[in-house]
């Protein structure tokens, strides 16, 4: 009898061991997780790992040390909504519909990021700034327009980040206010979500932090209005305003020092929020099987080049963004790449790292292999542009960035958007060569490249009048059906 009991126990033990092995094998075969962290209006030069010795970004610097830092990543259209539309779709804005701020991403043109991942068994969630709904910003996101995200906790778009002022729409469509600085609250939402996920399935989350974006204006000591960035005392106290070094070529004034002080303090707050999120991934023991990327919608001019707006210009401070990827399974630590990388490349490249082939045709390139190899081609370029509807104080322009030059042109001869900068000899873009006869051949070649991508994406240098001529009856802000390309084609038949 004792022998029979021993044999039975042994059989049970072997059976349990077999089940454990099967479970372990399933876990090892589980698709990699994806975490995308975004900030907004955050230039590449405002990260320590990009060479800024005065900014306090230990978590971003650590992420860069553990992964790959893209030295030449650009926001092709340095505007919030268009950047997000390209991130989600891999399509040019004239095709995905989100071609200016508050023109919604169309839900019916292609499979979007979270929809692709859901089909692969991913749990999907989005936290923070959305800015894809279009129209009135002060409303919750309808379930039909969540683009494949199972969980969406967002305020859509709101720029008061203070505790008690910052809010989000909860799962019941009710407005709730944060009791802490908004990025900390949004990071906490993401962490709480990760604590309760199904650990047998992969997850994909986006945490979209709105700072270091401006939040209003202040009247300066010079009597003029300047963009406001002041933030939490605990963050402001980390910097000595008098010792801050401004960008080369910018006149040093007390008002600009105040702007820099608040902006840099907000950057550090974003860094702290990122660190808390990374700590959660570490506590879950999923770091090795998680692709983490950090980037930003666009940069911030901070009045460099006498810019009126914080963004929407062809200069690096407006469109050169931080882009860092950590994925231990495929990316060795400490890599840096000079490969040119644009917004349209983000989705196909991330899917490439995740080994997901959707059979879709993206407007960008899968550069997952090229980035690691630090491959470079002098014929490569990233398209740059801004579209204008006429009600904002921006400029309608087109251009390209190559390894050697940044070029842009408009139709109205604005000095700030008719540019030619030598990226090698003039890294701070202080010498505009657009009218220099010695660079006429260079300008001609770059103009040809610009028209090349414009032709590819069916852009006939459209401006406010042209967009108005094909505007849907529901207006661009509430258009959820046809993209500009389709409407122009219908008009021109």
């Amino acid at each position: 009898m004792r022998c029979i009991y021993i044999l039975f126990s042994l059989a049970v033990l072997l059976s349990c061991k077999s089940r454990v092995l099967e479970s372990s094998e399933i876990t090892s075969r589980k698709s990699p997780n994806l975490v995308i962290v975004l900030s907004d209006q955050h230039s590449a030069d405002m990260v320590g790992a990009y060479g800024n010795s005065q900014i306090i970004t230990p978590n971003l610097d650590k992420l860069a040390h553990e992964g790959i830092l893209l030295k030449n990543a650009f926001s092709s259209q340095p505007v919030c909504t268009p950047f997000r539309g390209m991130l989600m779709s891999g399509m040019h804005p004239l095709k995905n519909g989100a071609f200016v701020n508050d023109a919604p991403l169309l839900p019916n043109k292609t499979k979007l990021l979270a929809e692709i991942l859901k089909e692969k068994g991913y749990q999907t969630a989005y936290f923070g700034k959305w800015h894809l709904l279009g129209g009135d910003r002060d409303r919750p996101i309808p379930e039909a327009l969540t683009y494949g995200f199972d969980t969406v906790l967002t305020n859509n778009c709101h720029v008061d980040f203070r505790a008690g002022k910052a809010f989000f729409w909860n799962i019941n469509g009710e407005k709730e206010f944060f009791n802490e600085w908004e990025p900390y609250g949004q990071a906490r939402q993401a962490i709480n979500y990760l604590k309760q996920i199904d650990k047998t399935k992969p997850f994909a989350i986006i945490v979209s932090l709105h700072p270091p974006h401006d939040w209003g204006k202040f009247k300066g000591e010079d009597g003029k209005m300047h963009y406001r960035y002041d933030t939490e005392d605990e963050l402001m106290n980390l910097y000595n305003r008098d010792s801050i070094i401004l960008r080369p070529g910018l006149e040093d004034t007390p008002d600009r020092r105040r702007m820099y002080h608040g902006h840099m303090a907000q950057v550090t707050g974003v860094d702290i929020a990122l660190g808390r999120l990374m700590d959660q991934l570490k506590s879950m023991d999923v770091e090795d099987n998680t692709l983490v990327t950090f980037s930003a919608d666009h940069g911030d001019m901070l009045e460099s080049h006498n810019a009126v707006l914080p963004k929407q210009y062809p200069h690096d401070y407006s469109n050169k963004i931080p882009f860092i990827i950590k994925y231990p399974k495929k990316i060795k630590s400490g890599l840096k790449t000079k490969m040119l990388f644009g917004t349209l490349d983000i989705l196909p490249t991330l899917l490439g790292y995740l080994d997901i082939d959707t059979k879709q045709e993206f407007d960008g390139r899968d550069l997952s292999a090229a980035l690691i190899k630090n491959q470079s081609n002098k014929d490569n370029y990233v398209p740059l542009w801004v579209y204008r509807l006429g009600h904002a104080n921006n400029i309608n322009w087109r251009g390209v960035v190559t390894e050697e030059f940044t070029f842009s042109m408009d139709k109205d001869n604005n000095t700030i958007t008719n540019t030619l900068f030598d990226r090698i000899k003039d890294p701070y873009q202080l010498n505009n060569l657009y009218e220099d006869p010695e660079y006429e051949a260079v300008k001609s070649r770059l103009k040809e490249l610009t028209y090349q991508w414009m032709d590819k994406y069916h852009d006939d240098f459209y401006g406010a009048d042209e967009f108005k001529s094909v505007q849907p009856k529901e207006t661009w802000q509430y258009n959820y059906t046809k993209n500009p390309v389709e409407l122009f084609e219908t008009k021109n038949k």
Side-chain angles (χ1 to χ4, degrees):
M1 187 72 180
R2 178 182 172 84
C3 182
I4 293 173
Y5 176 78
I6 291 173
L7 289 172
F8 176 77
S9 300
L10 183 60
V12 170
L13 180 62
L14 289 172
S15 174
C16 290
K17 185 175 181 181
S18 174
R19 283 196 293 271
V20 169
L21 285 173
E22 289 172 3
S23 175
S24 175
E25 287 169 358
I26 290 172
T27 301
S28 67
R29 293 198 305 269
K30 191 178 75 171
S31 298
N33 308 304
L34 175 64
V35 175
I36 299 174
V37 181
L38 299 173
S39 56
D40 190 2
Q41 228 161 273
H42 186 175
S43 311
D45 73 324
M46 287 294 175
V47 176
Y50 280 85
N52 189 329
S53 60
Q54 62 178 338
I55 197 84
I56 303 170
T57 54
N59 295 298
L60 278 166
D61 301 343
K62 183 174 185 287
L63 188 69
H65 177 71
E66 294 174 342
I68 184 170
L69 179 146
L70 279 61
K71 298 170 69 174
N72 290 307
F74 294 89
S75 178
S76 288
Q77 185 177 350
V79 191
C80 302
T81 298
F83 175 92
R84 291 159 190 274
M86 286 184 275
L87 168 66
M88 296 289 197
S89 69
M91 297 174 69
H92 189 276
L94 293 181
K95 295 164 68 176
N96 69 35
F99 70 105
V100 292
N101 265 352
D102 299 303
L105 174 64
L106 300 178
N108 58 346
K109 299 305 172 189
T110 186
K111 286 183 182 175
L112 302 168
L113 170 61
E115 294 170 338
I116 292 169
L117 296 177
K118 273 178 66 69
E119 288 186 353
K120 300 295 182 180
Y122 279 76
Q123 303 164 90
T124 57
Y126 192 104
F127 307 93
K129 180 183 176 183
W130 183 255
H131 211 178
L132 288 168
L133 178 60
D136 179 12
R137 295 179 178 182
D138 190 21
R139 56 192 175 122
I141 313 301
E143 186 176 350
L145 293 172
T146 53
Y147 306 131
F149 289 98
D150 297 318
T151 298
V152 176
L153 295 178
T154 177
N155 58 30
N156 190 16
C157 181
H158 177 72
V159 294
D160 195 336
F161 317 126
R162 295 173 294 177
K165 299 291 185 179
F167 65 89
F168 64 95
W169 301 98
N170 64 26
I171 58 175
N172 298 317
E174 302 163 335
K175 185 181 287 188
E176 283 191 36
F177 289 85
F178 287 107
N179 61 5
E180 56 189 328
W181 193 53
E182 184 184 79
Y184 296 162
Q186 291 163 339
R188 191 181 303 279
Q189 288 177 328
I191 289 168
N192 289 338
Y193 171 84
L194 291 174
K195 287 180 178 178
Q196 53 81 42
I197 59 168
D198 183 344
K199 293 181 174 59
T200 67
K201 299 178 181 179
F203 62 82
I205 66 171
I206 295 180
V207 184
S208 181
L209 310 173
H210 208 161
H213 197 285
D214 60 274
W215 58 286
K217 290 187 176 183
F218 69 94
K219 188 173 184 179
E221 294 181 23
D222 61 4
K224 301 177 182 178
M225 300 303 293
H226 302 270
Y227 285 98
R228 181 180 184 182
Y229 301 87
D230 307 320
T231 188
E232 306 292 282
D233 288 343
E234 65 181 48
L235 297 173
M236 298 288 282
N237 292 338
L238 295 173
Y239 293 89
N240 179 351
R241 185 176 297 184
D242 293 335
S243 66
I244 291 174
I245 301 171
L246 275 58
R247 289 165 172 161
L250 182 63
E251 181 186 355
D252 192 339
T253 69
D255 299 321
R256 285 172 173 164
R257 285 191 169 273
R258 176 177 171 178
M259 292 173 66
Y260 269 68
H261 188 183
H263 187 79
M264 293 167 69
Q266 287 196 74
V267 169
T268 297
V270 167
D271 185 82
I272 291 170
L274 170 70
R276 293 174 182 175
L277 187 60
M278 296 303 294
D279 286 344
Q280 175 61 27
L281 296 177
K282 185 175 182 179
S283 72
M284 296 168 65
D285 195 25
V286 296
E287 284 184 296
D288 287 345
N289 196 41
T290 300
L291 189 161
V292 178
T293 188
F294 178 90
S295 191
D297 284 13
H298 47 74
D300 193 315
M301 298 290 281
L302 290 169
E303 297 189 358
S304 291
H305 306 284
N306 296 313
V308 175
L309 301 172
K311 64 248 183 182
Q312 304 200 52
Y313 299 103
H315 305 73
D316 278 7
Y317 297 138
S318 170
N319 60 30
K320 189 173 182 182
I321 53 177
F323 208 100
I324 302 168
I325 309 172
K326 176 186 175 183
Y327 185 30
K329 277 191 173 181
K330 290 191 176 183
I331 300 174
K332 293 180 180 179
S333 61
L335 295 180
K336 293 183 179 181
T337 181
K338 62 182 179 180
M339 183 85 184
L340 290 168
F341 187 84
T343 313
L344 289 168
D345 303 321
I346 297 176
L347 180 54
T349 297
L350 293 182
L351 293 177
Y353 281 125
L354 299 176
D355 292 320
I356 295 176
D357 184 3
T358 66
K359 308 300 181 185
Q360 290 179 224
E361 290 188 10
F362 295 110
D363 288 329
R365 305 159 294 171
D366 174 6
L367 297 176
S368 54
L371 290 175
I372 297 172
K373 295 176 182 177
N374 196 18
Q375 291 177 340
S376 184
N377 185 331
K378 287 193 175 183
D379 293 329
N380 284 345
Y381 67 87
V382 171
L384 304 174
W385 67 85
V386 162
Y387 297 118
R388 185 171 189 268
L389 286 183
H391 52 71
N393 192 23
N394 59 358
I395 300 170
N396 188 50
W397 60 268
R398 311 289 188 271
V400 292
V401 60
T402 69
E403 278 192 10
E404 298 177 294
F405 296 98
T406 294
F407 166 79
S408 66
M409 60 182 180
D410 68 27
K411 290 185 174 181
D412 302 312
N413 203 30
N414 293 285
T415 303
I416 199 167
T417 46
N418 281 273
T419 65
L420 177 60
F421 294 114
D422 188 319
R423 303 189 60 79
I424 310 301
K425 297 178 182 178
D426 182 24
Y428 300 113
Q429 301 181 324
L430 300 177
N431 184 22
N432 188 353
L433 303 169
Y434 192 84
E435 301 293 348
D436 191 327
E438 292 186 14
Y439 285 82
E440 191 60 38
V442 172
K443 185 168 74 172
S444 178
R445 179 174 63 86
L446 297 174
K447 185 178 290 188
E448 184 179 334
L449 290 179
T450 301
Y451 281 120
Q452 178 179 305
W453 74 252
M454 289 172 65
D455 182 65
K456 177 181 178 181
Y457 299 129
H458 309 285
D459 179 358
D460 197 20
F461 222 135
Y462 299 125
D465 291 340
E466 289 82 9
F467 285 121
K468 185 176 181 180
S469 72
V470 295
Q471 177 174 264
K473 62 179 183 300
E474 60 269 26
T475 74
W476 288 114
Q477 287 73 23
Y478 293 92
N479 166 50
Y480 298 100
T481 53
K482 290 190 175 182
N483 62 37
V485 169
E486 291 170 324
L487 291 167
F488 279 118
E489 286 178 348
T490 299
K491 177 186 176 185
N492 295 328
K493 280 183 179 179

